[in-house]
Amino acid sequence: MRMRALVVGVESYEAGSAWNLDGPVHDALGYASWLRELGLPAESLTLLLSPLDRNRALADGCGLDYRPADRDTVHRVLTRELADERSDWLFVAWSGHGLIDTERSRRLLYADAVQRDLRCLDIEALLALYRSDGAPGHPRQLWLFDACQTHADPATTGGTLRPDPIPRSVPRRQADQHVLFACGPGGTTRNAMRSGVFSAEAVRLLREHPDWRRTPRPLADALRGRFGATTSLWFDGDGDALRTHGSGAAPPLRAVPPAAARKALGLSDRRRLLDALGAVDAMRQPQSRSRVIGLLPQQIAGNVARSEVMRLEILDLVETCLSFRDGLTHLWEAVSLVDPGTAALGELLEVFEGYPEWFTPTQRNLN
């Protein structure tokens, strides 16, 4: 089995000592040690570390080369180096600061983030890239994120939160991608003995159960049993996507093969959907349009390419919703919740009802 791994530990931030974390480097080296025990060659392990001064000797003495976890390095590794490689199994682990922006998207802060320039990684866009033809060489993936998911304060982050633009490509029909977060939205992670509790437990379980790295559902169940309802989980594979949070499960989104969607709908249909959406007041303003996208299931919202050009953003929103059966149903529920009930909203419903593969008829309640 060809294995490939990326492990990131961010302790020291350019913003200053108030942002320091004592633990992510220990977490990263714990993952690295486990991977080396599995037989992963050093050249197949990319290590990105930004250690505190007191942990620098630990990083320097680990016997592995590492680079800083700043914006340029992380972006190059994820969108060029790793995306162009091939493996039978890809493992990615990240420990550091995280947050959720005002559009409810998860972000990870780079080591060179400062308050006036919050450089960060868009997790949903990154995961979408690795489920697409933009990173086609990793059919089986496990991602672990030990980072807080506190909600960003618009008063202090407005205009400063700068998610990295991640390339987009055509989603693959099959993407065996498994993702675990140390906590759910709004939650914070915990440290014990200068190590993240989540990371330490994940490494322990993976050491005891080597097969769980390839079939991570038992790992997720074990972590959830250890931490209760604080662990969030994505499963995505074989055309199905299922998100669970705590003990509850959201209904799965069933994917429509891109080729089938293109064959079923021509340019005239797409223009009809685009024009109907563009006429709705809620879709014409950037703020309310972002709110609509934020209300969609994460599997859809995370695949929408954001743009300052209204028509381009709505076009990509349509294309993304057409990638899922009942995708237009989810879009309708979000638009009708934000729009006050204009005439254009009623016309949009009539258009959506013409596409039963993607839209389940609903009651005509526009008030």
Side-chain angles (χ1 to χ4, degrees), residues 243-266:
R243 176 189 177 187
T244 64
H245 177 70
S247 58
L253 293 175
R254 295 195 59 81
V256 175
R262 287 193 294 268
K263 182 178 180 181
L265 293 183

Side-chain angles (χ1 to χ4, degrees), residues 20-344:
N20 284 355
L21 293 172
D22 191 357
V25 166
H26 292 77
D27 297 341
L29 296 182
Y31 285 122
S33 176
W34 164 67
L35 289 163
R36 296 287 282 143
E37 291 169 11
L38 288 177
L40 182 72
E43 61 270 18
S44 297
L45 170 60
T46 298
L47 195 59
L48 304 181
L49 302 176
S50 291
L52 296 175
D53 287 341
R54 61 175 168 268
N55 293 332
R56 190 167 299 280
L58 180 66
D60 293 343
C62 72
L64 296 168
D65 294 333
Y66 70 88
R67 287 178 277 172
D70 56 22
R71 184 266 175 194
D72 288 345
T73 305
V74 174
H75 186 83
R76 171 172 287 277
V77 168
L78 286 170
T79 65
R80 299 186 186 184
E81 297 177 13
L82 198 59
D84 290 340
E85 295 184 33
R86 293 189 174 276
S87 73
D88 297 311
W89 179 73
L90 171 67
F91 176 80
V92 179
W94 184 299
S95 296
H97 278 306
L99 53 80
I100 292 182
D101 67 12
T102 55
E103 297 173 7
R104 304 194 307 175
S105 293
R106 291 178 170 91
R107 310 295 190 205
L108 295 170
L109 296 179
Y110 299 128
D112 52 349
V114 296
Q115 186 62 55
R116 65 181 180 278
D117 182 14
L118 291 174
R119 299 182 178 191
C120 58
L121 179 64
D122 183 332
I123 297 180
E124 274 75 30
L126 173 66
L127 294 175
L129 172 66
Y130 277 79
R131 294 191 303 268
S132 78
D133 289 343
H138 305 288
R140 181 172 290 175
Q141 308 165 20
L142 175 59
W143 302 66
L144 301 180
F145 295 105
D146 196 345
C148 295
Q149 294 189 44
T150 52
H151 292 281
D153 182 358
T156 59
T157 62
T160 68
L161 196 60
R162 294 181 53 194
D164 222 4
I166 300 295
R168 296 189 71 253
S169 191
V170 178
R172 298 198 301 274
R173 184 172 181 179
Q174 291 187 342
D176 192 10
Q177 183 184 80
H178 306 268
V179 188
L180 281 165
F181 294 89
C183 61
T188 58
T189 58
R190 294 185 293 118
N191 273 20
M193 299 297 291
R194 296 199 302 172
S195 180
V197 175
F198 173 86
S199 292
E201 184 69 5
V203 169
R204 184 187 71 80
L205 289 168
L206 287 166
R207 274 198 171 103
E208 292 182 358
H209 307 277
D211 290 343
W212 285 6
R213 72 183 189 274
R214 292 190 292 268
T215 55
R217 186 178 292 276
L219 173 64
D221 292 339
L223 287 170
R224 190 170 293 118
R226 170 70 170 81
F227 299 110
T230 62
T231 305
S232 296
L233 168 66
W234 260 269
F235 279 108
D236 189 354
D238 300 327
D240 293 322
L242 172 63
R243 176 189 177 187
T244 64
H245 177 70
S247 58
L253 293 175
R254 295 195 59 81
V256 175
R262 287 193 294 268
K263 182 178 180 181
L265 293 183
L267 289 178
S268 60
D269 292 298
R270 283 169 161 73
R271 180 180 294 278
R272 185 181 181 214
L273 291 166
L274 176 62
D275 290 344
L277 274 166
V280 177
D281 287 349
M283 301 301 295
R284 299 188 65 82
Q285 301 301 321
Q287 185 173 7
S288 57
R289 189 166 64 250
S290 292
R291 185 61 175 154
V292 167
I293 295 173
L295 288 170
L296 293 169
Q298 288 286 358
Q299 188 62 30
I300 295 178
N303 280 285
V304 178
R306 311 307 301 271
S307 172
E308 295 180 358
V309 180
M310 180 192 78
R311 197 165 180 85
L312 292 180
E313 189 167 70
I314 294 178
L315 177 59
D316 197 81
L317 175 60
V318 169
E319 293 290 342
T320 303
C321 288
L322 292 176
S323 297
F324 296 91
R325 293 184 176 89
D326 270 345
L328 294 182
T329 303
H330 292 290
L331 181 55
W332 165 255
E333 291 172 350
V335 174
S336 60
L337 184 62
V338 176
D339 193 86
T342 59

